[in-house]
Amino acid sequence: MSDLSRPSPGGPAALRGVIRALLGADAVPRHLAESVAIEGFELRARLTRVASLVGMGIAIVLAVDFRATLHRPAVAASLAVLLLACLVLFGVAAAWPALRRRRSDLLLIRIAFNGVTAVLGTAWAVYLNLLIRAVPPDSQGLLIGVFIGLLSSVISAGPLATRLAFWLPLTAGAFAALRVSASLWQPAIVITLALYSAFVLFTMVVLNRRMVEHGVSTFELRRINETIQMLLRDFEDNASDWLWETDARLNLVHPSPRLAEAARRDATAIGGNLFTFLASLGATDASAADTDAADGNANSDPYAELRRQIGLRRPFRDLLVPVGPADDRRWWSLTGKPTLDHHGLFAGYRGVGSDVTVAHSSRQRIDFLARHDPLTELLNRAAFGVLADQALATAGAAMLYLDLDQFKAVNDSYGHALGDSLLRAVAGRLRGAIRDTDIAARLGGDEFAVLLPGGSRLDATSMADRIIERLSPPYGLDGMTVEIGVSIGIALAPEDADTSDALLRNADLALYRAKQRGRGAWQLFDQAMDRQVQTQRGLRRDIRRALNDRELFLEYQPIVDLRSRRLRAVEALVRWRHPQRGVIGPEGFIAIAERGGLIGAVTRHVLAEAAAFALRLPPEISISINLSALHLREALQFDQISAVIAASGLDPRRIEFEVTETALLSTDDRTIDNLRRLRALGCSIAIDDFGTGFAALSTLRTFPFDRLKIDRSFIRELDRPGNAAQIVRAIIEFSRTLGLRVTVEGVETEAHAAALLAYPDIDAQGYLFSRPLSGDRLLVLAASGVLAGTGAAFG
């Protein structure tokens, strides 16, 4: 098939598209087509009521003026049809409000209306053409003018189909009228009429499209407004927020019911300037302004930021403002943006507000707890450190480190609830003791700190005396009277340190020295304390190395039956062969190992070495090993010790663990549990240094110890005047009552031994029998089995 025979692209579909574009149908969404058509037809109906009356008037005037033509049947008939069409259109236009409700008949009504309009246009064309043929030439121009006037009338708004139904017959009739007279059928007149007709058609099409687009926009805008109004009503009815609006002078307008409810005012009483309204709610002066919990600074104008943002004509979001009096303070969160009028000028603000009092109070509480101790409401360690650094950056300061004396005993005896009450009471007295410029904090447990910005040595010591005086009197709590004391360490900046951490550490060192010298006192830091700490830190580092390099070794001191002098057991004593310091006894490094977290490793090393050595001894000889009080409280203590014993192959019944009486004073459930598990394994448990630590009788009663070792300090006094003998006799009788075996330490002379022979079944340990020996030398001694005052020879 050739290209000429092939249908053109688009064909009828393209033509329909052009027609739809001319009619404006392409600008109408399908869901709005009917509504836009009805709206356009309604506008045409309103105009038709007037146009019909005007048309009837013009027709009647022409009929009267050219009444001589009415005898012609065609003229009379066309006039009658014209007048009838005008009456019908007027009737339809007048009845349109009622006809509009008949939605199912709307299409038929529009078709009938357009048909009658076409009949009216045709009747006008026929009537005017008949008149032009019947009147003299000098009257024909008037009738052509009427044609042009009628053509102009179709430009008015209305559906394009209706206007075309009137325009087409009129245009055809106008050109037909020009053909009647040779004087009218002139090129200039024909071309002018043609151009004017084309202009009318173009104007109709353009206006129709603009009116259709305007109708669509109107319906869309109406739909959007309805949606917005619905959402706003729902927002006002169900949300806790509210809408607010001002004019260009910042006067509140259109107050919503929710705003009136939040302001606790009647809606009719809300108006005037926004800031005047907020101030009238109560937060108007500095005394009612917010005191921020985070920084403690009072803002004299609670609306300063809101004034600034509005003054700059900026939008703002979630701006917090206080409302209400100080005793009923509420907080509003305001969001707003400036609005402009159609000239682009500032027209006011619109926004949303909400009452965030609960959320603000929660945030303030969270901020407070982030910086304060929840129990005492003093500053916590982190916040105290920040403020201390700030103080040190501007001037010197004095740091006081406080520790409550006997607090643990009170807490253990009366329970944690009373302990908490005591801490709160201490915090209250501490606040009353310090000055407004001083800063107090609870560091944790029963430890507190006070910073004196710019404080001198005299200020610090005077404040320490004042705090001790204020905190020491008895406390009446829950119907009980509680007595505690306080010890204080003092460090000064910049003399002792230039950072808060270093200053606090040095004050802690001074506190440790104050407790060593006697409680209820204060102690200033000096550099000797720091050197001692550095020495101990170096020893902790060396202990780690010593464990790896096997610098720790054991010596053993015999324990004998006092009456037969036969070897019963040996006590393992750890020593440290330090490369620079020589041999160091346990008193020189065990406490450091405890504080450095190394005591567990030291204990495992001693137990492994002692168990291996015990396997070389006769099976009736047991081995005695000291346990650290701190290590006793470790949760994995039993598992670690039992693993070492199992690996050694030694019968646990040959192992006796010694616990100092002082350790029992700080015992807790974990300590007792570990001791019970060791005893259940088969090991024996002995109380060492009995008589020096005032062990609680309840502890001795509740825990089944196996042995009690009387401290050497009592034995040294046996051959001297005094009551040492009576004390030893009481301890032995006490031990027999509890079913405990007894070992006497520090037996150094035959006089000591003779004084103890009166008591049967007592074991003894001391230089009379032997000093601590190496393993090999002890094996030689053990081979004889009897130690008859040979201590000097073996020493």
PDB file of all heavy atoms in Angstrom, residues 604-637:
ATOM      1  N   ARG A 604      47.210 -18.530  94.328  1.00  0.00           N
ATOM      2  CA  ARG A 604      47.303 -19.752  93.520  1.00  0.00           C
ATOM      3  C   ARG A 604      48.742 -20.230  93.405  1.00  0.00           C
ATOM      4  O   ARG A 604      49.024 -21.439  93.451  1.00  0.00           O
ATOM      5  CB  ARG A 604      46.702 -19.506  92.132  1.00  0.00           C
ATOM      6  CG  ARG A 604      45.199 -19.311  92.154  1.00  0.00           C
ATOM      7  CD  ARG A 604      44.606 -19.371  90.766  1.00  0.00           C
ATOM      8  NE  ARG A 604      45.069 -18.266  89.930  1.00  0.00           N
ATOM      9  CZ  ARG A 604      44.488 -17.069  89.890  1.00  0.00           C
ATOM     10  NH1 ARG A 604      43.443 -16.810  90.665  1.00  0.00           N
ATOM     11  NH2 ARG A 604      44.953 -16.123  89.095  1.00  0.00           N
ATOM     12  N   HIS A 605      49.670 -19.296  93.301  1.00  0.00           N
ATOM     13  CA  HIS A 605      51.091 -19.671  93.223  1.00  0.00           C
ATOM     14  C   HIS A 605      51.540 -20.326  94.531  1.00  0.00           C
ATOM     15  O   HIS A 605      52.198 -21.384  94.524  1.00  0.00           O
ATOM     16  CB  HIS A 605      51.929 -18.421  92.934  1.00  0.00           C
ATOM     17  CG  HIS A 605      53.408 -18.647  93.025  1.00  0.00           C
ATOM     18  ND1 HIS A 605      54.133 -19.255  92.023  1.00  0.00           N
ATOM     19  CD2 HIS A 605      54.298 -18.377  94.036  1.00  0.00           C
ATOM     20  CE1 HIS A 605      55.400 -19.332  92.391  1.00  0.00           C
ATOM     21  NE2 HIS A 605      55.527 -18.801  93.610  1.00  0.00           N
ATOM     22  N   VAL A 606      51.188 -19.705  95.667  1.00  0.00           N
ATOM     23  CA  VAL A 606      51.585 -20.257  96.973  1.00  0.00           C
ATOM     24  C   VAL A 606      50.957 -21.629  97.174  1.00  0.00           C
ATOM     25  O   VAL A 606      51.629 -22.579  97.630  1.00  0.00           O
ATOM     26  CB  VAL A 606      51.171 -19.283  98.094  1.00  0.00           C
ATOM     27  CG1 VAL A 606      51.363 -19.939  99.464  1.00  0.00           C
ATOM     28  CG2 VAL A 606      51.963 -17.988  97.996  1.00  0.00           C
ATOM     29  N   LEU A 607      49.683 -21.784  96.842  1.00  0.00           N
ATOM     30  CA  LEU A 607      49.003 -23.061  97.050  1.00  0.00           C
ATOM     31  C   LEU A 607      49.616 -24.164  96.196  1.00  0.00           C
ATOM     32  O   LEU A 607      49.834 -25.297  96.679  1.00  0.00           O
ATOM     33  CB  LEU A 607      47.516 -22.901  96.727  1.00  0.00           C
ATOM     34  CG  LEU A 607      46.647 -24.150  96.875  1.00  0.00           C
ATOM     35  CD1 LEU A 607      46.732 -24.713  98.292  1.00  0.00           C
ATOM     36  CD2 LEU A 607      45.199 -23.846  96.505  1.00  0.00           C
ATOM     37  N   ALA A 608      49.929 -23.839  94.941  1.00  0.00           N
ATOM     38  CA  ALA A 608      50.525 -24.861  94.064  1.00  0.00           C
ATOM     39  C   ALA A 608      51.894 -25.285  94.582  1.00  0.00           C
ATOM     40  O   ALA A 608      52.214 -26.487  94.627  1.00  0.00           O
ATOM     41  CB  ALA A 608      50.619 -24.316  92.642  1.00  0.00           C
ATOM     42  N   GLU A 609      52.743 -24.317  94.997  1.00  0.00           N
ATOM     43  CA  GLU A 609      54.074 -24.645  95.500  1.00  0.00           C
ATOM     44  C   GLU A 609      53.981 -25.433  96.818  1.00  0.00           C
ATOM     45  O   GLU A 609      54.694 -26.433  97.030  1.00  0.00           O
ATOM     46  CB  GLU A 609      54.867 -23.357  95.724  1.00  0.00           C
ATOM     47  CG  GLU A 609      55.238 -22.615  94.448  1.00  0.00           C
ATOM     48  CD  GLU A 609      56.350 -23.318  93.676  1.00  0.00           C
ATOM     49  OE1 GLU A 609      57.145 -24.027  94.307  1.00  0.00           O
ATOM     50  OE2 GLU A 609      56.382 -23.174  92.446  1.00  0.00           O
ATOM     51  N   ALA A 610      53.078 -25.003  97.710  1.00  0.00           N
ATOM     52  CA  ALA A 610      52.950 -25.664  99.005  1.00  0.00           C
ATOM     53  C   ALA A 610      52.407 -27.078  98.859  1.00  0.00           C
ATOM     54  O   ALA A 610      52.848 -28.017  99.549  1.00  0.00           O
ATOM     55  CB  ALA A 610      52.054 -24.843  99.922  1.00  0.00           C
ATOM     56  N   ALA A 611      51.429 -27.267  97.979  1.00  0.00           N
ATOM     57  CA  ALA A 611      50.870 -28.597  97.779  1.00  0.00           C
ATOM     58  C   ALA A 611      51.916 -29.544  97.198  1.00  0.00           C
ATOM     59  O   ALA A 611      52.010 -30.726  97.606  1.00  0.00           O
ATOM     60  CB  ALA A 611      49.652 -28.508  96.858  1.00  0.00           C
ATOM     61  N   ALA A 612      52.714 -29.049  96.264  1.00  0.00           N
ATOM     62  CA  ALA A 612      53.769 -29.889  95.694  1.00  0.00           C
ATOM     63  C   ALA A 612      54.791 -30.277  96.761  1.00  0.00           C
ATOM     64  O   ALA A 612      55.289 -31.418  96.797  1.00  0.00           O
ATOM     65  CB  ALA A 612      54.447 -29.157  94.538  1.00  0.00           C
ATOM     66  N   PHE A 613      55.094 -29.336  97.647  1.00  0.00           N
ATOM     67  CA  PHE A 613      56.042 -29.642  98.726  1.00  0.00           C
ATOM     68  C   PHE A 613      55.429 -30.614  99.730  1.00  0.00           C
ATOM     69  O   PHE A 613      56.115 -31.525 100.246  1.00  0.00           O
ATOM     70  CB  PHE A 613      56.465 -28.355  99.425  1.00  0.00           C
ATOM     71  CG  PHE A 613      57.344 -28.583 100.620  1.00  0.00           C
ATOM     72  CD1 PHE A 613      58.673 -28.976 100.465  1.00  0.00           C
ATOM     73  CD2 PHE A 613      56.853 -28.437 101.906  1.00  0.00           C
ATOM     74  CE1 PHE A 613      59.479 -29.195 101.562  1.00  0.00           C
ATOM     75  CE2 PHE A 613      57.649 -28.643 103.009  1.00  0.00           C
ATOM     76  CZ  PHE A 613      58.979 -29.029 102.840  1.00  0.00           C
ATOM     77  N   ALA A 614      54.138 -30.471 100.060  1.00  0.00           N
ATOM     78  CA  ALA A 614      53.491 -31.350 101.034  1.00  0.00           C
ATOM     79  C   ALA A 614      53.513 -32.799 100.583  1.00  0.00           C
ATOM     80  O   ALA A 614      53.552 -33.725 101.423  1.00  0.00           O
ATOM     81  CB  ALA A 614      52.059 -30.891 101.270  1.00  0.00           C
ATOM     82  N   LEU A 615      53.512 -33.052  99.275  1.00  0.00           N
ATOM     83  CA  LEU A 615      53.572 -34.425  98.782  1.00  0.00           C
ATOM     84  C   LEU A 615      54.912 -35.091  99.110  1.00  0.00           C
ATOM     85  O   LEU A 615      55.022 -36.321  99.118  1.00  0.00           O
ATOM     86  CB  LEU A 615      53.334 -34.439  97.270  1.00  0.00           C
ATOM     87  CG  LEU A 615      51.912 -34.089  96.809  1.00  0.00           C
ATOM     88  CD1 LEU A 615      51.846 -33.985  95.292  1.00  0.00           C
ATOM     89  CD2 LEU A 615      50.914 -35.143  97.304  1.00  0.00           C
ATOM     90  N   ARG A 616      55.936 -34.280  99.454  1.00  0.00           N
ATOM     91  CA  ARG A 616      57.250 -34.827  99.809  1.00  0.00           C
ATOM     92  C   ARG A 616      57.361 -35.080 101.312  1.00  0.00           C
ATOM     93  O   ARG A 616      58.340 -35.660 101.783  1.00  0.00           O
ATOM     94  CB  ARG A 616      58.342 -33.855  99.358  1.00  0.00           C
ATOM     95  CG  ARG A 616      58.309 -33.580  97.837  1.00  0.00           C
ATOM     96  CD  ARG A 616      59.203 -32.414  97.462  1.00  0.00           C
ATOM     97  NE  ARG A 616      60.595 -32.661  97.773  1.00  0.00           N
ATOM     98  CZ  ARG A 616      61.569 -31.750  97.712  1.00  0.00           C
ATOM     99  NH1 ARG A 616      61.257 -30.511  97.368  1.00  0.00           N
ATOM    100  NH2 ARG A 616      62.816 -32.061  98.009  1.00  0.00           N
ATOM    101  N   LEU A 617      56.372 -34.593 102.070  1.00  0.00           N
ATOM    102  CA  LEU A 617      56.364 -34.778 103.511  1.00  0.00           C
ATOM    103  C   LEU A 617      55.638 -36.069 103.872  1.00  0.00           C
ATOM    104  O   LEU A 617      54.835 -36.589 103.083  1.00  0.00           O
ATOM    105  CB  LEU A 617      55.683 -33.592 104.190  1.00  0.00           C
ATOM    106  CG  LEU A 617      56.387 -32.230 104.095  1.00  0.00           C
ATOM    107  CD1 LEU A 617      55.471 -31.133 104.624  1.00  0.00           C
ATOM    108  CD2 LEU A 617      57.705 -32.245 104.865  1.00  0.00           C
ATOM    109  N   PRO A 618      55.875 -36.574 105.097  1.00  0.00           N
ATOM    110  CA  PRO A 618      55.105 -37.733 105.554  1.00  0.00           C
ATOM    111  C   PRO A 618      53.621 -37.423 105.506  1.00  0.00           C
ATOM    112  O   PRO A 618      53.197 -36.294 105.737  1.00  0.00           O
ATOM    113  CB  PRO A 618      55.608 -37.938 106.997  1.00  0.00           C
ATOM    114  CG  PRO A 618      56.967 -37.342 106.990  1.00  0.00           C
ATOM    115  CD  PRO A 618      56.916 -36.173 106.062  1.00  0.00           C
ATOM    116  N   PRO A 619      52.768 -38.407 105.226  1.00  0.00           N
ATOM    117  CA  PRO A 619      51.328 -38.160 105.025  1.00  0.00           C
ATOM    118  C   PRO A 619      50.611 -37.644 106.252  1.00  0.00           C
ATOM    119  O   PRO A 619      49.536 -37.066 106.124  1.00  0.00           O
ATOM    120  CB  PRO A 619      50.796 -39.530 104.598  1.00  0.00           C
ATOM    121  CG  PRO A 619      51.799 -40.514 105.075  1.00  0.00           C
ATOM    122  CD  PRO A 619      53.135 -39.818 105.002  1.00  0.00           C
ATOM    123  N   GLU A 620      51.178 -37.830 107.460  1.00  0.00           N
ATOM    124  CA  GLU A 620      50.484 -37.329 108.647  1.00  0.00           C
ATOM    125  C   GLU A 620      50.744 -35.858 108.897  1.00  0.00           C
ATOM    126  O   GLU A 620      50.153 -35.258 109.803  1.00  0.00           O
ATOM    127  CB  GLU A 620      50.905 -38.132 109.890  1.00  0.00           C
ATOM    128  CG  GLU A 620      52.359 -37.942 110.315  1.00  0.00           C
ATOM    129  CD  GLU A 620      53.315 -38.876 109.570  1.00  0.00           C
ATOM    130  OE1 GLU A 620      52.855 -39.535 108.599  1.00  0.00           O
ATOM    131  OE2 GLU A 620      54.500 -38.955 109.951  1.00  0.00           O
ATOM    132  N   ILE A 621      51.618 -35.243 108.133  1.00  0.00           N
ATOM    133  CA  ILE A 621      51.940 -33.829 108.305  1.00  0.00           C
ATOM    134  C   ILE A 621      51.114 -33.012 107.301  1.00  0.00           C
ATOM    135  O   ILE A 621      51.138 -33.259 106.102  1.00  0.00           O
ATOM    136  CB  ILE A 621      53.441 -33.574 108.102  1.00  0.00           C
ATOM    137  CG1 ILE A 621      54.251 -34.347 109.143  1.00  0.00           C
ATOM    138  CG2 ILE A 621      53.747 -32.083 108.173  1.00  0.00           C
ATOM    139  CD1 ILE A 621      55.739 -34.234 108.985  1.00  0.00           C
ATOM    140  N   SER A 622      50.392 -32.024 107.838  1.00  0.00           N
ATOM    141  CA  SER A 622      49.557 -31.176 106.977  1.00  0.00           C
ATOM    142  C   SER A 622      50.286 -29.876 106.650  1.00  0.00           C
ATOM    143  O   SER A 622      51.325 -29.561 107.229  1.00  0.00           O
ATOM    144  CB  SER A 622      48.216 -30.875 107.655  1.00  0.00           C
ATOM    145  OG  SER A 622      48.424 -30.193 108.883  1.00  0.00           O
ATOM    146  N   ILE A 623      49.715 -29.129 105.720  1.00  0.00           N
ATOM    147  CA  ILE A 623      50.301 -27.860 105.287  1.00  0.00           C
ATOM    148  C   ILE A 623      49.301 -26.753 105.576  1.00  0.00           C
ATOM    149  O   ILE A 623      48.100 -26.881 105.341  1.00  0.00           O
ATOM    150  CB  ILE A 623      50.650 -27.892 103.774  1.00  0.00           C
ATOM    151  CG1 ILE A 623      51.448 -26.636 103.381  1.00  0.00           C
ATOM    152  CG2 ILE A 623      49.433 -28.027 102.900  1.00  0.00           C
ATOM    153  CD1 ILE A 623      52.914 -26.845 103.471  1.00  0.00           C
ATOM    154  N   SER A 624      49.761 -25.630 106.135  1.00  0.00           N
ATOM    155  CA  SER A 624      48.909 -24.500 106.500  1.00  0.00           C
ATOM    156  C   SER A 624      49.210 -23.327 105.584  1.00  0.00           C
ATOM    157  O   SER A 624      50.387 -22.974 105.390  1.00  0.00           O
ATOM    158  CB  SER A 624      49.138 -24.127 107.964  1.00  0.00           C
ATOM    159  OG  SER A 624      48.284 -23.063 108.337  1.00  0.00           O
ATOM    160  N   ILE A 625      48.155 -22.720 105.022  1.00  0.00           N
ATOM    161  CA  ILE A 625      48.309 -21.647 104.022  1.00  0.00           C
ATOM    162  C   ILE A 625      47.398 -20.494 104.413  1.00  0.00           C
ATOM    163  O   ILE A 625      46.236 -20.678 104.755  1.00  0.00           O
ATOM    164  CB  ILE A 625      47.947 -22.155 102.609  1.00  0.00           C
ATOM    165  CG1 ILE A 625      48.862 -23.316 102.214  1.00  0.00           C
ATOM    166  CG2 ILE A 625      48.012 -21.021 101.587  1.00  0.00           C
ATOM    167  CD1 ILE A 625      48.402 -24.049 100.980  1.00  0.00           C
ATOM    168  N   ASN A 626      47.944 -19.272 104.354  1.00  0.00           N
ATOM    169  CA  ASN A 626      47.178 -18.063 104.681  1.00  0.00           C
ATOM    170  C   ASN A 626      46.308 -17.638 103.496  1.00  0.00           C
ATOM    171  O   ASN A 626      46.750 -17.656 102.341  1.00  0.00           O
ATOM    172  CB  ASN A 626      48.122 -16.923 105.052  1.00  0.00           C
ATOM    173  CG  ASN A 626      48.833 -17.182 106.357  1.00  0.00           C
ATOM    174  OD1 ASN A 626      48.255 -17.049 107.426  1.00  0.00           O
ATOM    175  ND2 ASN A 626      50.100 -17.574 106.281  1.00  0.00           N
ATOM    176  N   LEU A 627      45.079 -17.221 103.817  1.00  0.00           N
ATOM    177  CA  LEU A 627      44.174 -16.700 102.801  1.00  0.00           C
ATOM    178  C   LEU A 627      43.941 -15.213 103.054  1.00  0.00           C
ATOM    179  O   LEU A 627      43.702 -14.788 104.176  1.00  0.00           O
ATOM    180  CB  LEU A 627      42.822 -17.416 102.841  1.00  0.00           C
ATOM    181  CG  LEU A 627      42.715 -18.748 102.095  1.00  0.00           C
ATOM    182  CD1 LEU A 627      41.288 -19.276 102.194  1.00  0.00           C
ATOM    183  CD2 LEU A 627      43.109 -18.625 100.641  1.00  0.00           C
ATOM    184  N   SER A 628      43.980 -14.426 101.968  1.00  0.00           N
ATOM    185  CA  SER A 628      43.725 -12.983 102.071  1.00  0.00           C
ATOM    186  C   SER A 628      42.242 -12.721 102.317  1.00  0.00           C
ATOM    187  O   SER A 628      41.373 -13.369 101.730  1.00  0.00           O
ATOM    188  CB  SER A 628      44.169 -12.288 100.779  1.00  0.00           C
ATOM    189  OG  SER A 628      43.594 -11.020 100.663  1.00  0.00           O
ATOM    190  N   ALA A 629      41.978 -11.731 103.167  1.00  0.00           N
ATOM    191  CA  ALA A 629      40.586 -11.360 103.426  1.00  0.00           C
ATOM    192  C   ALA A 629      39.904 -10.868 102.152  1.00  0.00           C
ATOM    193  O   ALA A 629      38.727 -11.162 101.902  1.00  0.00           O
ATOM    194  CB  ALA A 629      40.544 -10.262 104.486  1.00  0.00           C
ATOM    195  N   LEU A 630      40.639 -10.108 101.327  1.00  0.00           N
ATOM    196  CA  LEU A 630      40.054  -9.601 100.088  1.00  0.00           C
ATOM    197  C   LEU A 630      39.770 -10.736  99.121  1.00  0.00           C
ATOM    198  O   LEU A 630      38.720 -10.792  98.479  1.00  0.00           O
ATOM    199  CB  LEU A 630      40.999  -8.576  99.447  1.00  0.00           C
ATOM    200  CG  LEU A 630      40.498  -7.928  98.150  1.00  0.00           C
ATOM    201  CD1 LEU A 630      39.242  -7.126  98.432  1.00  0.00           C
ATOM    202  CD2 LEU A 630      41.576  -7.038  97.546  1.00  0.00           C
ATOM    203  N   HIS A 631      40.714 -11.685  99.039  1.00  0.00           N
ATOM    204  CA  HIS A 631      40.528 -12.798  98.122  1.00  0.00           C
ATOM    205  C   HIS A 631      39.351 -13.666  98.527  1.00  0.00           C
ATOM    206  O   HIS A 631      38.700 -14.299  97.695  1.00  0.00           O
ATOM    207  CB  HIS A 631      41.816 -13.629  98.054  1.00  0.00           C
ATOM    208  CG  HIS A 631      41.880 -14.561  96.880  1.00  0.00           C
ATOM    209  ND1 HIS A 631      42.626 -15.697  96.884  1.00  0.00           N
ATOM    210  CD2 HIS A 631      41.259 -14.517  95.675  1.00  0.00           C
ATOM    211  CE1 HIS A 631      42.473 -16.317  95.725  1.00  0.00           C
ATOM    212  NE2 HIS A 631      41.652 -15.605  94.971  1.00  0.00           N
ATOM    213  N   LEU A 632      39.087 -13.725  99.825  1.00  0.00           N
ATOM    214  CA  LEU A 632      37.959 -14.523 100.301  1.00  0.00           C
ATOM    215  C   LEU A 632      36.634 -14.048  99.718  1.00  0.00           C
ATOM    216  O   LEU A 632      35.697 -14.829  99.576  1.00  0.00           O
ATOM    217  CB  LEU A 632      37.886 -14.456 101.834  1.00  0.00           C
ATOM    218  CG  LEU A 632      38.843 -15.378 102.603  1.00  0.00           C
ATOM    219  CD1 LEU A 632      38.779 -15.050 104.080  1.00  0.00           C
ATOM    220  CD2 LEU A 632      38.505 -16.830 102.362  1.00  0.00           C
ATOM    221  N   ARG A 633      36.541 -12.759  99.374  1.00  0.00           N
ATOM    222  CA  ARG A 633      35.274 -12.209  98.887  1.00  0.00           C
ATOM    223  C   ARG A 633      35.103 -12.366  97.385  1.00  0.00           C
ATOM    224  O   ARG A 633      34.042 -12.034  96.854  1.00  0.00           O
ATOM    225  CB  ARG A 633      35.164 -10.721  99.256  1.00  0.00           C
ATOM    226  CG  ARG A 633      35.006 -10.478 100.740  1.00  0.00           C
ATOM    227  CD  ARG A 633      34.560  -9.055 101.026  1.00  0.00           C
ATOM    228  NE  ARG A 633      35.597  -8.091 100.723  1.00  0.00           N
ATOM    229  CZ  ARG A 633      36.524  -7.700 101.598  1.00  0.00           C
ATOM    230  NH1 ARG A 633      36.543  -8.223 102.817  1.00  0.00           N
ATOM    231  NH2 ARG A 633      37.435  -6.815 101.268  1.00  0.00           N
ATOM    232  N   GLU A 634      36.116 -12.854  96.687  1.00  0.00           N
ATOM    233  CA  GLU A 634      36.003 -13.022  95.244  1.00  0.00           C
ATOM    234  C   GLU A 634      35.101 -14.208  94.930  1.00  0.00           C
ATOM    235  O   GLU A 634      35.204 -15.275  95.538  1.00  0.00           O
ATOM    236  CB  GLU A 634      37.376 -13.211  94.602  1.00  0.00           C
ATOM    237  CG  GLU A 634      38.258 -11.974  94.710  1.00  0.00           C
ATOM    238  CD  GLU A 634      39.590 -12.156  94.006  1.00  0.00           C
ATOM    239  OE1 GLU A 634      39.776 -13.206  93.375  1.00  0.00           O
ATOM    240  OE2 GLU A 634      40.436 -11.261  94.098  1.00  0.00           O
ATOM    241  N   ALA A 635      34.215 -14.019  93.960  1.00  0.00           N
ATOM    242  CA  ALA A 635      33.225 -15.046  93.643  1.00  0.00           C
ATOM    243  C   ALA A 635      33.872 -16.340  93.150  1.00  0.00           C
ATOM    244  O   ALA A 635      33.360 -17.430  93.387  1.00  0.00           O
ATOM    245  CB  ALA A 635      32.250 -14.508  92.582  1.00  0.00           C
ATOM    246  N   LEU A 636      35.015 -16.233  92.439  1.00  0.00           N
ATOM    247  CA  LEU A 636      35.647 -17.414  91.862  1.00  0.00           C
ATOM    248  C   LEU A 636      36.695 -18.022  92.779  1.00  0.00           C
ATOM    249  O   LEU A 636      37.461 -18.886  92.362  1.00  0.00           O
ATOM    250  CB  LEU A 636      36.293 -17.055  90.506  1.00  0.00           C
ATOM    251  CG  LEU A 636      35.325 -16.548  89.439  1.00  0.00           C
ATOM    252  CD1 LEU A 636      36.089 -16.191  88.167  1.00  0.00           C
ATOM    253  CD2 LEU A 636      34.256 -17.575  89.131  1.00  0.00           C
ATOM    254  N   GLN A 637      36.763 -17.560  94.018  1.00  0.00           N
ATOM    255  CA  GLN A 637      37.789 -18.034  94.954  1.00  0.00           C
ATOM    256  C   GLN A 637      37.785 -19.550  95.079  1.00  0.00           C
ATOM    257  O   GLN A 637      38.815 -20.204  94.913  1.00  0.00           O
ATOM    258  CB  GLN A 637      37.559 -17.374  96.322  1.00  0.00           C
ATOM    259  CG  GLN A 637      38.169 -18.108  97.505  1.00  0.00           C
ATOM    260  CD  GLN A 637      39.643 -17.825  97.624  1.00  0.00           C
ATOM    261  OE1 GLN A 637      40.267 -17.448  96.648  1.00  0.00           O
ATOM    262  NE2 GLN A 637      40.194 -18.032  98.801  1.00  0.00           N
TER     263      GLN A 637
END
